[in-house]
Amino acid sequence: MAGGYGRYRALIFTAMFVGYTLYYFNRKTFSFVMPAVMAEVPLGKDELGLITSSQSAAYAISKFVSGVLSDRLSARWLFSSGLLLVGLVNVLFSWSSSVAAFAGLWFLNGLAQGLGWPPCGKILRKWFEPSQFGTWWAILSTSMNLAGGLGPIVAALVSLHYDWRMTLSFSGFICVVVSFVCLVLIKNEPSDVGLPNIEQGPKKGKKGSSSENSTLTELLLSPYLWVLSTGYLVVFGVKTCCTDWGQLFLIQERGQSMLVGSSYMSALEIGGLVGSIAAGYLSDRAVARVGLSSYGNPRHTLLLSMMAGMCVSMFLFRVTVTGDSPKLWILTLGAVFGFSSYGPIALFGVIANESAPANLCGTSHAIVALMANVGGFLAGLPFSTIAKHYSWATAFWVAEITCIGSTVAFFLLRNIRTKMGRIPRKAD
């Protein structure tokens, strides 16, 4: 029986990992080829911000709807159809040349992108034990770092032989092919292949599952939901600022080469890969050691430490980097920021899922993720507008101050009631 679970878990996890790597690569293809596109099509900071923000706005809406739907529709169909649409949009983007077409197609890309992660979270909960959830969630989330880290390098290598249009067409075509492979390999839950479903969460007497009867109103009235949402908004927004604009900041204001800019992006994603796994594994150990209660969360200590690391590495990136800075120092700052930002991103998702009633975990994560993508939207046109009127350094300073404020606020609220929804009187 264990062997049956192991084989299916390996196949399903591999399919989701490869599929989501392609999701993320094709979400960022415009950022990867941005310098080449700007050389062919005249694009100012406002136009660039419009294109990236159009995708972020669509992604925020789509991911929220997908999160709610993931409890009601087939997760494998949601995941596979989204990947198919992402591939088709990238191919169409490669045939376009106007700002309006770029923004419109990238908006459609954002809509399709939202179908990727919520089904993954649902399938992970169905196939893995609760005590393994954080670790496997974090490992799956490193598919984003893999795509983000290798993406600029792959795009740069391909651009040596082909133009940016061929790069987007090729990556889109691979998405289309893999979407059909994912549809075949991914299974929604063990019972789909004749295995017993895994029990979710510990049972504590007859009333242990009464929180499952919580209503949407009770979830929405939980203050902790909004504390998580606000923290995730800031962390995701600041991370997006660095991944989308860090390269241009280095090149335009600090006089660094395009190679250093691309290398910084790669270092950030590689650091993020390590940070995500460390956050999932170490926080799972903290939970195993202390257990979950209605107030506070063992994952908070690691979460706050990493948020503080974001603030410090952003400050050093803004203040110490010049045209003469050693490349190793720039790459180190990128890796540290990646480690410190992707860890909290993994933890916010895990905490939102595990702190919610079982019948509303998809909705809980959808709400928190929606707020995160509002942060992603703010990192687009609003952030580039600050840079246009002042400088990239000023824009990064604003992001830095926001991150510090959020970290302090989360620290002060770390021990509030974290169990969302209804709590039985005895448990309370």
Side-chain angles (χ1 to χ4, degrees):
M1 187 71 75
Y5 280 109
R7 184 166 60 88
Y8 280 110
R9 281 171 175 165
L11 279 173
I12 291 166
F13 189 85
T14 301
M16 289 196 300
F17 192 92
V18 173
Y20 205 75
T21 299
L22 288 171
Y23 259 108
Y24 193 82
F25 180 85
N26 286 273
R27 188 190 312 168
K28 292 293 181 182
T29 39
F30 178 69
S31 296
F32 296 153
V33 300
M34 195 184 287
V37 177
M38 290 171 70
E40 182 182 324
V41 182
L43 296 171
K45 289 177 181 175
D46 282 347
E47 286 84 6
L48 292 173
L50 175 65
I51 294 167
T52 57
S53 282
S54 67
Q55 185 197 49
S56 297
Y59 182 50
I61 297 166
S62 177
K63 193 172 181 183
F64 175 75
V65 174
S66 177
V68 175
L69 289 178
S70 65
D71 286 332
R72 297 165 175 80
L73 300 177
S74 168
R76 63 190 278 262
W77 275 100
L78 272 179
F79 184 83
S80 303
S81 57
L83 190 56
L84 174 66
L85 291 172
V86 166
L88 294 175
V89 167
N90 267 265
V91 173
L92 291 174
F93 192 95
S94 71
W95 298 343
S96 307
S97 296
S98 68
V99 173
F102 285 161
L105 286 168
W106 229 226
F107 181 84
L108 291 177
N109 189 351
L111 288 179
Q113 288 284 342
L115 301 178
W117 188 258
C120 288
K122 193 70 182 176
I123 293 166
L124 282 179
R125 277 184 67 90
K126 294 289 187 180
W127 277 97
F128 291 94
E129 301 287 344
S131 59
Q132 304 169 326
F133 183 53
T135 302
W136 287 105
W137 176 294
I139 294 173
L140 184 58
S141 73
T142 61
S143 59
M144 292 184 278
N145 309 108
L146 182 67
L150 295 179
I153 297 171
V154 171
L157 290 174
V158 173
S159 67
L160 295 176
H161 305 285
Y162 304 99
D163 62 1
W164 65 270
R165 296 181 186 277
M166 182 60 71
T167 304
L168 263 69
S169 292
F170 184 63
S171 64
F173 175 73
I174 292 175
C175 269
V176 171
V177 173
V178 173
S179 68
F180 289 102
V181 176
C182 287
L183 185 62
V184 173
L185 294 181
I186 294 173
K187 307 297 178 187
N188 288 327
E189 56 187 6
S191 61
D192 289 351
V193 292
L195 293 170
N197 285 338
I198 295 168
E199 291 292 333
Q200 296 298 320
K203 292 181 177 175
K204 297 182 179 178
K206 293 181 179 178
K207 295 189 177 181
S209 62
S210 61
S211 62
E212 293 183 12
N213 299 323
S214 295
T215 63
L216 178 60
T217 302
E218 287 169 335
L219 175 70
L220 294 176
L221 290 176
S222 301
Y224 188 59
L225 176 68
W226 304 107
V227 171
L228 280 180
S229 298
T230 306
Y232 202 1
L233 182 152
V234 173
V235 168
F236 193 84
V238 170
K239 189 276 298 185
T240 306
C241 289
C242 287
T243 53
D244 282 0
W245 307 113
Q247 190 175 5
L248 290 182
F249 169 72
L250 287 171
I251 295 169
Q252 294 181 359
E253 287 192 10
R254 295 298 187 252
Q256 295 288 341
S257 66
M258 283 180 63
L259 177 62
V260 171
S262 295
S263 300
Y264 168 79
M265 297 269 286
S266 296
L268 191 154
E269 297 292 347
I270 292 166
L273 187 149
V274 178
S276 294
I277 296 176
Y281 176 71
L282 293 176
S283 67
D284 266 0
R285 289 190 65 180
V287 169
R289 197 165 54 244
V290 181
L292 294 172
S293 64
S294 297
Y295 293 86
N297 189 303
R299 302 188 200 271
H300 282 174
T301 303
L302 187 62
L303 179 63
L304 284 163
S305 301
M306 288 183 147
M307 288 174 72
M310 285 179 69
C311 301
V312 173
S313 57
M314 275 198 77
F315 171 76
L316 293 174
F317 178 65
R318 178 177 60 85
V319 172
T320 66
V321 174
T322 65
D324 301 321
S325 295
K327 184 178 178 182
L328 181 61
W329 173 242
I330 296 173
L331 298 187
T332 301
L333 288 177
V336 171
F337 180 82
F339 182 91
S340 302
S341 59
Y342 275 94
I345 286 169
L347 291 177
F348 276 121
V350 170
I351 294 170
N353 217 302
E354 71 184 4
S355 300
N359 65 317
L360 291 171
C361 63
T363 304
S364 169
H365 184 253
I367 292 168
V368 173
L370 174 66
M371 294 294 284
N373 286 292
V374 170
F377 173 78
L378 294 174
L381 184 59
F383 191 79
S384 63
T385 301
I386 296 174
K388 178 185 176 185
H389 292 292
Y390 298 96
S391 65
W392 286 117
T394 304
F396 277 106
W397 175 80
V398 171
E400 187 185 311
I401 294 299
T402 308
C403 193
I404 291 171
S406 177
T407 305
V408 172
F410 201 97
F411 174 79
L412 296 174
L413 296 169
R414 68 192 183 282
N415 289 324
I416 66 169
R417 174 180 154 183
T418 53
K419 193 67 178 174
M420 294 185 255
R422 185 183 309 157
I423 294 185
R425 287 178 183 272
K426 286 183 180 178
D428 202 12

